[in-house]
Amino acid sequence: MADMAEAIESAEISHEAAANDRVMFGFWVYLMTDLLMFAVLFAVYAVLHGNTAGGPGGKELFSQQQALAETLLLLTSSFTCGLGMIAARRGNKSQVLVWFGLTFLLGLAFLGLELREFAEFVREGHTFSANAFMSSFFALVGTHGLHITSGLLWMTITLIYVLKRGLNKHLVRKLALLSLFWHFLDIVWIFIFTIVYLMAFV
Amino acid sequence: MKEFLIGKLTLESLPHEWFTIGGSAFFGLLTVALIVLLTVTKRWKWLWKEWLTSVDPKKIGIMYFIVAGFMLIARGGLEALMMWLQQALGASDMPGALGAAHGYLSADHFQQIFTAHGNIMVFFVAMGFIFGLINYIVPLQIGARDLASPFLNTLGFWLYVAGVVMVNMFFFFGGQYAATGWLAVAPLSGTQFSPGVGMDYWIWSLQISGIGTTLGAINFIMTILKMRAPGMTLWKMPAFTWGSLCSMIMAVTVFPLLTATIFLIFFDRYFGTHFFTTTLGGDPMMYTNLIWMWGHPEVYILVLPAYGVFSEIVSTFSRKRLASPISNIIGMIGVALFALSVWLHHFFTMGAGADVNAFFGVMTMIIAIPTTVLVFTWIATMYKGRIRFTTPMLWFLGFIAVFTTGGITGVMLAVPPADFQFHNSLFLVAHFHSNVIGGVLFGVFAGISYWFPKLAGFRLNERIGKYAFWCWMIGFSLSFIPMYIVGLMGATRRLDTYDAATGWQPFYVLMLIGGIIIAVGVALQLVQIIASIIEKRRLRDVTGDPWDGRSLEWATASAPAPYNFTTIPRVTTRDAFWQMKQQGLAKPKYEDILMPKNTASGIYISIFAFLMGFGFVWHITWLAVVSIIGIIVCAITRTFNEHTEMTIPAAEVEKQEAVRLKRLQDEHDSAPGKPAAADMADDMGLREFIKIVAVWAWNVVRNRQWRTWQKR
């Protein structure tokens, strides 16, 4: 009888592990598809960034300090996100809330800076439809910003569920996927920082 | 205020041409008839619980077949005939009134028809059929009970349906369809040259169904790589599963490119950006590059599963294992890899220079090598085999002839200097129809007639099936061989009218005749299905293995239980089921089975996705915003639902199995000792079919008996 209970339990554990494995793998595949969408936007930016049709280029518009500040905020948020994940694996609920809460605030600050930059451009008449350069800039950086926004939304809701349900295995898996997503956005941002902001000053 | 509420949607935009009114009448009557039928037979709840919300890939596969088959007949095929009729009548100096009219369609209407024909045949017919086959067969072939993510799969299906509805929307709300060609080249597709909503219907029907394809493909990659039966290594995987895996990997590689490109063209049209415009720095040729980076691999996404179907069929009906299976698999992988680096051969005339053209020309020719390897493995499989000329096998032989012609003309087109002559001619159109009809559609028909016993429990009528095949084959030759010739004579594609002095008209008339013969073939396929249903007791497949098959799907009953396998099989060789038959089947041991619960979330999300697209088409911004919020809320509710699975206890499985085995035993006793394929010569012919239908109709009229035909 004991053997059977054990067998059932181990079968359940292996079922659970297999499901985890599948979901993680599927999420990686999804991230790759997302990366390919960004690849198109990068390629479009590479082709169009010189086509300003007489308007100002990146060198005149971008601020290095702003870009650096955004980068530091996002990289730090990736670090706190990693710490949050370690806490989640240990099952420490309060630390999870603290570290992911910090990640959320850093992400929000990043988003605020980005929106301020966008608003400034629009105010000066460098809108989405001003010329091909501005179109490709807003499409690329804006898509990243949209991903950050959805990441923040996802984080909020997951944390609310952690508060309500505690750290169960479903929510730990959600947090693991969320942190993958967050690190992925960090990597994309490093390319945006290099190709959009730094290359403008080369 | 009015503009805020309904955007550009006004009374004037509602349908008013004869073809849109005809279309809306047809779809309207169909909807009413369906609603009446479902209400009278009290089937609403059954439809919702058993089918629409089902996560069973077998049921989703059948739903894909129904939608794709409907689109093939009601839209894509009808449009082909309309174009051929226009071209047959399109010479400039025909006698009488016809000459002045240049055929019966306006130029604008003709353009919408060829655009819609391309979109519908690729996105909603071919993709639908291919996803149907993959859904039904792959889990059975790899010995799995369900999918890695059944929810993503239903969501993918319902987004596909939303795309189908969107592409038919102009019948109800007017506007027109895009008149830009199936890939909507820039800057023609911009607001300057296509100001109407037709282009926006194009954007959203392709965008929504394309995202569905990406999600479905992610699910099948997870399923094939992570859920195979123990012992089934990648090299022991059946050919169809291999073709599907290659196809799905290509889909996740290129469909994101399509999604991003369509978003950019949407921005150009909705927000006035300058990605593909001719002003303020936009670059129209970038659009052509981006869209073909998706568009070329797309045709290989369609044909790779078809290659797999043919590998299964040729080995089963030659009673041999597939010749050199490793070469076959490597051939499919090679096609998938090379297909990603040939897109530029669609526009050698862009002017990228000799070096770029040479590279893409050579890559295109190289792709012929793995394809040839595949063809040789199939021919070698037949060599010294005991070939049975069943319908699936006939489709295979037709495929070899037509597809090889298409392949060889493809190599001709791959030579850049020659392509400057062939470019945009009917020669090109004949070439890709040889591959898409000869490869994909024949593959789908072969697959459906091969696996039909598995999904319906009875096989299809062989006699009428063969008539249908010959109609297709003869009709195809009659319409596309003249198309090659007239293309070499200089006819360009998408012509609605031409000078009679060119001497093309006889060829166009031949094409029309060929098209009518194909239509007869399609009608015979419908007759074949009805005749098989009439005879279904005689055609019943009691063994689960009507063709003496080799792979695992034939180890299940026809039709399989919801959980496919009571015990997950252990696999030691490629032809797993063949091996099991040689060694004798083990007695099943029953166990608890964990299955996903039905869900309607996919339907809700797709409804919101459709409404979002509709809002953007007609510039009803509030509707689009509300729908996006709806999508997000539905997605969150679904992902945080922790109770998506249920357990079927072992005792329950045993009980169900006992009932099913008892029923099979009874049927077996009433039709003892023969595999269902044994008596194909007795299948009813057309004359008998007509007689039965006539007697039935007579009985309905005279005696009000609906069910007399089931007595057979």
Side-chain angles (χ1 to χ4, degrees):
Chain A
M1 213 41 214
D3 278 2
M4 206 167 146
E6 236 167 58
I8 288 172
E9 199 174 309
S10 79
E12 259 171 24
I13 289 168
S14 70
H15 175 82
E16 199 53 46
N20 258 334
D21 182 40
R22 282 201 297 269
V23 172
M24 290 306 260
F25 174 69
F27 196 75
W28 271 102
V29 179
Y30 154 72
L31 286 182
M32 294 304 105
T33 65
D34 216 357
L35 191 64
L36 282 160
M37 291 211 2
F38 275 110
V40 170
L41 296 174
F42 273 113
V44 167
Y45 182 81
V47 172
L48 295 182
H49 76 280
N51 300 2
T52 55
K59 201 172 178 178
E60 290 83 45
L61 286 179
F62 301 149
S63 137
Q64 278 166 319
Q65 287 86 352
Q66 157 106 11
L68 184 66
E70 285 178 78
T71 309
L72 289 178
L73 281 172
L74 207 59
L75 288 185
T76 317
S77 83
S78 231
F79 178 64
T80 54
C81 177
L83 292 178
M85 219 31 239
I86 292 174
R89 296 269 184 234
R90 285 198 191 128
N92 189 334
K93 184 176 155 186
S94 56
Q95 272 193 27
V96 165
L97 290 174
V98 168
W99 287 122
F100 273 101
L102 206 56
T103 312
F104 178 85
L105 290 179
L106 289 165
L108 201 64
F110 167 88
L111 200 63
L113 276 184
E114 187 164 82
L115 287 178
R116 206 187 64 174
E117 184 192 27
F118 283 5
E120 201 180 299
F121 289 166
V122 171
R123 214 171 28 248
E124 290 165 8
H126 312 302
T127 58
F128 198 11
S129 56
N131 54 46
F133 162 63
M134 288 319 290
S135 298
S136 62
F137 167 81
F138 276 110
L140 174 58
V141 184
T143 303
H144 181 266
L146 204 63
H147 277 75
I148 292 281
T149 314
S150 49
L152 290 176
L153 181 67
W154 186 4
M155 213 178 288
T156 317
I157 291 160
T158 315
L159 291 185
I160 291 172
Y161 274 100
V162 170
L163 272 175
K164 262 173 60 180
R165 291 181 187 169
L167 266 182
N168 65 26
K169 53 185 193 284
H170 287 275
L171 287 171
V172 171
R173 185 163 82 192
K174 285 253 144 44
L175 287 173
L177 298 180
L178 177 60
S179 74
L180 263 184
F181 186 66
W182 202 254
H183 295 314
F184 162 74
L185 291 182
D186 217 16
I187 293 169
V188 173
W189 176 259
I190 287 171
F191 280 93
I192 291 180
F193 179 62
T194 314
I195 290 174
V196 176
Y197 291 98
L198 290 186
M199 299 265 278
F201 295 97
V202 171
Chain B
M1 185 63 196
K2 191 175 153 220
E3 205 184 311
F4 173 75
L5 276 178
I6 55 170
K8 298 198 307 191
L9 186 61
T10 55
L11 276 180
E12 292 84 67
S13 61
L14 291 181
H16 53 269
E17 289 117 331
W18 62 267
F19 55 95
T20 40
I21 292 175
S24 49
F26 170 72
F27 284 110
L29 284 176
L30 200 70
T31 315
V32 171
L34 268 179
I35 290 173
V36 169
L37 188 72
L38 285 169
T39 313
V40 168
T41 54
K42 300 199 174 101
R43 286 290 177 100
W44 281 105
K45 206 170 164 191
W46 165 83
L47 183 72
W48 180 256
K49 285 187 123 169
E50 296 289 317
W51 287 92
L52 303 186
T53 58
S54 173
V55 290
D56 184 348
K58 296 185 288 296
K59 286 183 175 166
I60 291 175
I62 292 171
M63 290 195 283
Y64 264 117
F65 288 146
I66 292 170
V67 179
F70 177 75
M71 289 305 279
L72 171 68
I73 296 167
R75 291 292 312 270
L78 188 64
E79 282 155 353
L81 285 179
M82 286 171 82
M83 283 189 285
W84 268 325
L85 183 61
Q86 163 71 21
Q87 291 179 321
L89 301 174
S92 60
D93 50 0
M94 299 260 296
L98 284 174
H102 300 305
Y104 70 111
L105 296 174
S106 69
D108 187 51
H109 186 190
F110 185 76
Q111 287 163 359
Q112 291 177 49
I113 290 179
F114 66 64
T115 305
H117 171 80
N119 290 149
I120 287 167
M121 285 302 202
V122 170
F123 274 86
F124 303 122
V125 177
M127 282 306 266
F129 275 133
I130 290 295
F131 262 93
L133 279 180
I134 294 178
N135 260 285
Y136 205 97
I137 301 302
V138 163
L140 292 171
Q141 274 200 336
I142 62 173
R145 284 184 178 138
D146 61 348
L147 300 168
S149 175
F151 169 65
L152 276 190
N153 193 43
T154 50
L155 180 57
F157 170 71
W158 285 107
L159 288 175
Y160 159 81
V161 172
V164 166
V165 177
M166 184 65 83
V167 86
N168 288 310
M169 262 302 112
F170 68 97
F171 285 126
F172 298 99
F173 291 95
Q176 297 182 323
Y177 195 65
T180 50
W182 79 290
L183 283 187
V185 286
L188 179 60
S189 50
T191 38
Q192 191 189 351
F193 302 106
S194 300
V197 293
M199 197 42 221
D200 301 302
Y201 282 132
W202 182 96
I203 286 177
W204 288 103
S205 65
L206 266 58
Q207 187 69 310
I208 293 170
S209 66
I211 290 172
T213 303
T214 311
L215 297 177
I218 291 175
N219 163 53
F220 278 106
I221 293 175
M222 289 156 78
T223 306
I224 296 175
L225 290 183
K226 294 282 180 189
M227 294 184 71
R228 295 190 308 278
M232 186 184 280
T233 59
L234 281 177
W235 293 114
K236 286 179 188 158
M237 220 159 66
F240 176 69
T241 305
W242 255 109
S244 306
L245 179 63
C246 293
S247 160
M248 294 295 104
I249 288 177
M250 287 184 80
V252 296
T253 315
V254 299
F255 266 84
L257 310 187
L258 176 76
T259 305
T261 310
I262 295 184
F263 269 127
L264 295 183
I265 201 161
F266 163 68
F267 293 156
D268 267 6
R269 291 181 61 85
Y270 206 83
F271 299 112
T273 55
H274 295 280
F275 292 104
F276 310 125
T277 58
T278 46
T279 52
L280 292 173
D283 189 343
M285 275 328 283
M286 188 169 63
Y287 177 81
T288 309
N289 270 289
L290 288 173
I291 201 82
W292 278 117
M293 278 183 206
W294 161 81
H296 189 84
E298 162 70 7
V299 294
Y300 288 92
I301 291 171
L302 296 173
V303 86
L304 277 163
Y307 289 165
V309 171
F310 289 126
S311 302
E312 304 285 346
I313 285 173
V314 73
S315 128
T316 301
F317 294 108
S318 304
R319 286 224 173 92
K320 271 177 73 188
R321 64 174 214 137
L322 192 63
S324 185
I326 302 290
S327 311
N328 185 280
I329 292 168
I330 290 176
M332 289 197 274
I333 296 173
V335 168
L337 286 180
F338 291 129
L340 295 170
S341 52
V342 298
W343 75 88
L344 195 129
H345 70 212
H346 292 271
F347 43 97
F348 282 139
T349 50
M350 172 173 77
D355 292 342
V356 174
N357 281 0
F359 172 78
F360 283 95
V362 170
M363 286 310 292
T364 310
M365 287 178 231
I366 286 177
I367 232 181
I369 295 170
T371 319
T372 312
V373 169
L374 284 165
V375 172
F376 278 122
T377 58
W378 294 321
I379 293 176
T381 308
M382 289 191 290
Y383 178 67
K384 286 193 173 171
R386 289 179 163 194
I387 300 175
R388 285 174 288 171
F389 290 98
T390 53
T391 329
M393 194 64 186
L394 285 184
W395 287 114
F396 164 75
L397 294 170
F399 153 80
I400 289 282
V402 176
F403 191 79
T404 310
T405 321
I408 291 169
T409 51
V411 176
M412 290 169 70
L413 285 158
V415 183
D419 184 72
F420 273 65
Q421 297 303 315
F422 299 136
H423 188 76
N424 269 354
S425 72
L426 279 184
F427 185 82
L428 161 85
V429 177
H431 150 74
F432 72 70
H433 279 88
S434 296
N435 289 0
V436 178
I437 296 180
V440 182
L441 215 51
F442 281 19
V444 165
F445 294 151
I448 290 178
S449 50
Y450 178 56
W451 281 305
F452 196 87
K454 186 56 46 192
L455 64 99
F458 54 95
R459 70 176 168 82
L460 283 172
N461 181 310
E462 280 283 313
R463 191 182 293 257
I464 302 176
K466 284 175 184 164
Y467 297 157
F469 165 76
W470 283 111
C471 281
W472 265 96
M473 196 64 198
I474 294 167
F476 181 87
S477 312
L478 212 53
S479 41
F480 289 94
I481 291 172
M483 197 183 276
Y484 278 119
I485 298 171
V486 85
L488 289 179
M489 287 165 73
T492 51
R493 69 196 296 195
R494 296 166 178 164
L495 279 185
D496 62 322
T497 177
Y498 49 90
D499 194 334
T502 51
W504 297 341
Q505 195 173 24
F507 293 98
Y508 280 122
V509 172
L510 272 182
M511 289 182 216
L512 176 64
I513 295 171
I516 292 168
I517 296 175
I518 292 177
V520 173
V522 174
L524 283 175
Q525 286 174 306
L526 293 177
V527 168
Q528 180 195 18
I529 292 174
I530 297 168
S532 312
I533 294 173
I534 296 174
E535 277 199 302
K536 89 177 175 194
R537 277 172 64 179
R538 196 178 68 76
L539 301 177
R540 175 79 66 196
D541 167 34
V542 288
T543 58
D545 178 27
W547 309 115
D548 205 3
R550 311 180 76 85
S551 41
L552 275 182
E553 73 269 29
W554 304 112
T556 61
S558 303
Y563 38 79
N564 294 351
F565 297 91
T566 43
T567 341
I568 299 290
R570 286 193 173 273
V571 177
T572 49
T573 62
R574 178 171 294 101
D575 294 337
F577 182 51
W578 188 262
Q579 178 85 0
M580 286 156 75
K581 281 193 284 193
Q582 306 298 323
Q583 293 170 347
L585 302 169
K587 204 171 158 49
K589 197 174 105 241
Y590 297 111
E591 56 189 12
D592 288 359
I593 294 177
L594 204 59
M595 293 295 288
K597 282 187 201 162
N598 283 3
T599 172
S601 305
I603 301 181
Y604 299 143
I605 291 179
S606 300
I607 290 173
F608 280 122
F610 171 80
L611 289 175
M612 173 191 74
F614 190 78
F616 280 127
V617 167
W618 289 102
H619 291 248
I620 312 172
T621 311
W622 68 265
L623 180 63
V625 172
V626 168
S627 306
I628 291 172
I629 294 170
I631 293 173
I632 294 172
V633 170
C634 284
I636 290 172
T637 326
R638 167 70 200 184
T639 52
F640 283 92
N641 181 356
E642 291 172 6
H643 310 286
T644 56
E645 288 184 323
M646 58 184 178
T647 307
I648 307 176
E652 177 64 28
V653 174
E654 191 169 357
K655 216 161 71 187
Q656 285 190 20
E657 281 298 298
V659 172
R660 209 168 51 80
L661 289 174
K662 170 93 173 50
R663 191 172 52 91
L664 282 179
Q665 191 60 47
D666 290 348
E667 277 164 6
H668 198 269
D669 292 344
S670 67
K674 60 166 180 60
D679 52 353
M680 291 188 295
D682 296 343
D683 288 2
M684 75 166 86
L686 273 180
R687 196 181 303 164
E688 200 177 345
F689 173 77
I690 293 168
K691 213 171 94 190
I692 288 174
V693 172
V695 168
W696 173 75
W698 180 250
N699 267 324
V700 171
V701 175
R702 285 294 300 269
N703 311 330
R704 305 197 169 232
Q705 284 185 328
W706 296 90
R707 295 176 173 275
T708 45
W709 69 359
Q710 285 190 356
K711 281 179 184 160
R712 250 179 94 86

